[in-house]
Amino acid sequence: MSLKLSHLPSRQKIKPVYPRSPSTIDPNNPPWPAYRGYHEYSFAYATMGQRLPTILGKAIEDVVLTLNQEYDEERVVDLVQCIERMDALMKELQAQAKLRPIIDDGEADVALWNKLIAKYFQGKTFMNAPWLFAEAYKYRRLQECFSVSKHWKNYDVFFRQKCDTFSRSHDAVFELSMRFAEPFVLKEHLSPGDKLEAERLMFMELTQICLWGNSTDLSLLINMTEEQIRSLQSTGGANLAATEKNILGNHMKRLWETVVSLRANTGGRIDFVLDNAGFELYCDCVYADFLIQSGLAKEVRFHGKRYPWFVSDVTKKDWSWLLNTMVYGHLFPNATEEERDSIRRLGMRWKQYEKEGKWVYEQHPFWCTGFTYWELFNEAPDLFLHLSRSDLVIFKGDLNHRKLTYDCAAPPSTDFEIAIGPMASAAGAPRVCSMRTIKSDVVVGLGPDGDQLAERLDKEEEGWKISGKYAVVLLSEGRPGEKVIFT
């Protein structure tokens, strides 16, 4: 039987309402639509289809290099099996296979990963799961290739690349070391107002250096020439003045007011959630050095990854390598004696900060999970509580920004506080600053006219969201000082 429905309203196209209500948000359904690997309009498409297989291929080449230098049969056989697991991962990636659970390799994050897969991503593939989760999953699977072995559990397939990129940063490294080898001292006979202004100018320039140091991201700059790297890392005053106009969401003035208020209250603790090793980490440390010397902070905590992550993210090995190379290494054969002495002095001062407890390096399992930072409050309450005791948490780089904002298609005019959800709105949420050169689709915090600005750039500069030419420095006031309550 069929009914004639001539007097009923016509069928309508119902558009979903964004952002989603908090009760309907989950890792597979972000506040705004997720970017997924099959979205040809998104950088997710190029990443999942081309970049990740290329990165994995270079990692396999690195392991083969190591294999060819081994002589012990047990270690050789063990490493061959690691390569076989990497080859299997490559086939899954290229075949757009379904995501399987992580093998229990003794890491503290296994249960978190497998809970995510079981609850939200059963039957999902590398291409139709949200891009951020699928990309993170690939790096966790790469770690698994080694963590289940006997002799190669701590092998870093990207370590050679990270060291090489820093060694190619000669000009920028010594540009900074020659300026900051000696402790920071203001000119004598300045009035209090002039002293504060001199510090403000120094802070603004170092903030930019810290920001643009994020340009050197190995996962994006796989085939970059030495000349291109040198251009990206230029830290001269003229270059900084020219690039400030490219900071599309710029809260640096508010950031300065925040750190000055910390010092007025006898100084405080500032945390860095780190991004890239090598030159960016070096810039982060120059910045942190100034914060300590100027009294803007009394303690700086650096948060890195427990194992190799997104090619160039900082691990404890990278941290120790940088400081020890600066003090004892011979990485720059063409450096003058004066240049070598400048970087040695800088490294010795930083190591002394570590000994005195002014600098602390930490690594929490949560940083290497597939969760975004919207879930930090619920999935890592110990870490949230720890960060809530900080006076300012600086999240460096593109990946941290993607995780803060749920990596979804929020309008560019969306306020940063709205985009980061509980990291701004939860009781006890710390002040959060995101310093990020824009290298992926998500862009927020551009102000009331942000949507129009983004539309103009879409028309005038194709690829502006992935070029690294533009940046944001965004600040959330959070709810510091309020009691953190977990239900």
Side-chain angles (χ1 to χ4, degrees):
M1 177 186 290
S2 62
L3 297 176
K4 188 175 181 181
L5 305 177
S6 56
H7 298 289
L8 297 183
S10 58
R11 287 173 63 90
Q12 299 178 23
K13 187 175 181 180
I14 307 298
K15 292 184 178 180
V17 177
Y18 295 106
R20 290 186 171 94
S21 62
S23 62
T24 62
I25 294 171
D26 64 50
N28 192 41
N29 297 287
W32 284 269
Y35 298 106
R36 300 178 191 266
Y38 63 83
H39 291 159
E40 295 186 21
Y41 60 83
S42 164
F43 193 42
Y45 184 73
T47 296
M48 301 309 297
Q50 300 169 23
R51 284 180 56 238
L52 289 193
T54 300
I55 289 168
L56 183 55
K58 286 187 174 291
I60 292 171
E61 291 173 8
D62 178 273
V63 182
V64 170
L65 265 177
T66 302
L67 178 69
N68 292 338
Q69 296 168 354
E70 277 296 320
Y71 62 88
D72 180 83
E73 183 177 10
E74 188 178 9
R75 288 171 58 83
V76 166
V77 171
D78 201 22
L79 192 55
V80 167
Q81 291 171 348
C82 293
I83 295 172
E84 290 171 351
R85 288 188 285 270
M86 294 173 78
D87 286 335
L89 176 58
M90 178 71 86
K91 289 175 183 175
E92 289 183 43
L93 198 57
Q94 292 172 333
Q96 302 176 20
K98 292 181 179 179
L99 311 181
R100 65 153 173 83
I102 300 298
I103 294 172
D104 189 352
D105 55 6
E107 263 294 337
D109 61 1
V110 173
L112 288 174
W113 273 103
N114 290 341
K115 180 174 81 169
L116 264 172
I117 294 168
K119 285 186 71 173
Y120 304 109
F121 302 112
Q122 281 194 54
K124 292 293 184 183
T125 70
F126 281 98
M127 293 301 277
N128 64 22
W131 170 29
L132 178 60
F133 180 82
E135 191 173 8
Y137 173 83
K138 175 259 178 183
Y139 285 101
R140 183 60 180 88
R141 284 285 306 279
L142 180 57
Q143 169 63 13
E144 182 192 278
C145 293
F146 297 92
S147 58
V148 297
S149 70
K150 180 179 179 180
H151 298 288
W152 303 94
K153 293 181 183 294
N154 298 315
Y155 186 76
D156 185 347
V157 294
F158 305 119
F159 186 65
R160 250 188 287 257
Q161 295 180 58
K162 289 182 276 191
C163 296
D164 179 61
T165 302
F166 187 67
S167 70
R168 294 161 65 193
S169 307
H170 177 287
D171 291 358
V173 167
F174 290 115
E175 173 75 21
L176 293 174
S177 69
M178 292 293 288
R179 293 174 182 269
F180 294 101
E182 293 297 325
F184 168 69
V185 179
L186 289 168
K187 293 179 181 178
E188 295 182 4
H189 310 304
L190 290 177
S191 68
D194 289 339
K195 285 182 179 178
L196 190 63
E197 177 63 9
E199 286 183 321
R200 186 189 70 82
L201 293 172
M202 177 78 80
F203 175 84
M204 291 298 192
E205 290 201 358
L206 283 173
T207 300
Q208 276 216 67
I209 288 169
C210 189
L211 168 68
W212 295 110
N214 174 241
S215 296
T216 311
D217 183 337
L218 286 175
S219 72
L220 295 169
L221 310 181
I222 296 169
N223 297 311
M224 183 160 276
T225 66
E226 195 160 335
E227 185 60 37
Q228 289 170 318
I229 288 176
R230 190 177 294 117
S231 174
L232 272 176
Q233 294 174 339
S234 175
T235 56
N239 185 67
L240 292 179
T243 54
E244 186 170 1
K245 69 180 187 299
N246 293 336
I247 304 175
L248 303 181
N250 190 346
H251 293 172
M252 286 201 298
K253 182 175 181 290
R254 286 175 55 197
L255 186 62
W256 165 247
E257 291 167 353
T258 296
V259 295
V260 167
S261 70
L262 295 184
R263 185 171 59 184
N265 295 315
T266 70
R269 168 185 150 192
I270 294 179
D271 288 51
F272 284 78
V273 181
L274 299 168
D275 189 33
N276 296 315
F279 183 70
E280 182 180 353
L281 176 59
Y282 177 75
C283 291
D284 295 340
C285 288
V286 170
Y287 192 45
D289 190 357
F290 171 74
L291 294 175
I292 291 289
Q293 289 190 55
S294 60
L296 294 170
K298 284 190 173 180
E299 176 188 2
V300 178
R301 290 179 175 264
F302 300 87
H303 301 264
K305 307 302 191 298
R306 288 170 63 88
Y307 47 76
W309 190 248
F310 280 68
V311 183
S312 49
D313 279 31
V314 178
T315 64
K316 184 64 166 71
K317 183 177 180 180
D318 299 319
W319 171 269
S320 299
W321 178 85
L322 176 66
L323 297 189
N324 288 325
T325 293
M326 290 173 67
V327 175
Y328 306 111
H330 297 273
L331 193 65
F332 303 99
N334 298 322
T336 66
E337 190 56 42
E338 187 180 22
E339 287 173 332
R340 288 195 191 94
D341 186 56
S342 69
I343 199 169
R344 192 179 303 118
R345 290 190 191 188
L346 208 53
M348 289 174 67
R349 186 162 71 241
W350 296 352
K351 287 172 80 71
Q352 186 61 32
Y353 288 156
E354 274 201 296
K355 290 177 182 176
E356 295 172 356
K358 293 178 180 177
W359 282 11
V360 180
Y361 180 91
E362 303 178 351
Q363 48 189 21
H364 191 283
F366 182 82
W367 302 124
C368 290
T369 68
F371 285 110
T372 72
Y373 300 157
W374 279 54
E375 285 94 18
L376 198 155
F377 181 90
N378 290 320
E379 300 298 337
D382 59 324
L383 179 59
F384 184 89
L385 189 62
H386 182 46
L387 295 177
S388 74
R389 294 168 180 148
S390 177
D391 295 292
L392 173 67
V393 183
I394 298 173
F395 287 84
K396 289 296 309 295
D398 199 67
L399 175 60
N400 281 321
H401 188 87
R402 289 170 64 194
K403 287 206 164 195
L404 278 169
T405 58
Y406 231 124
D407 197 40
C408 53
S413 60
T414 305
D415 287 342
F416 181 57
E417 289 86 350
I418 299 297
I420 66 175
M423 287 301 291
S425 62
R431 296 179 189 88
V432 165
C433 175
S434 178
M435 291 189 191
R436 173 234 189 174
T437 56
I438 301 171
K439 290 178 278 190
S440 63
D441 296 280
V442 60
V443 177
V444 298
L446 302 194
D449 300 324
D451 296 346
Q452 292 85 349
L453 172 61
E455 287 175 11
R456 178 174 63 78
L457 287 171
D458 284 337
K459 293 175 183 177
E460 296 175 2
E461 294 188 46
E462 185 179 355
W464 69 274
K465 290 181 179 178
I466 61 173
S467 66
K469 175 182 175 181
Y470 295 99
V472 291
V473 178
L474 301 173
L475 184 66
S476 162
E477 295 296 337
R479 294 170 62 183
E482 295 186 31
K483 186 177 181 180
V484 178
I485 300 175
F486 301 105
T487 56

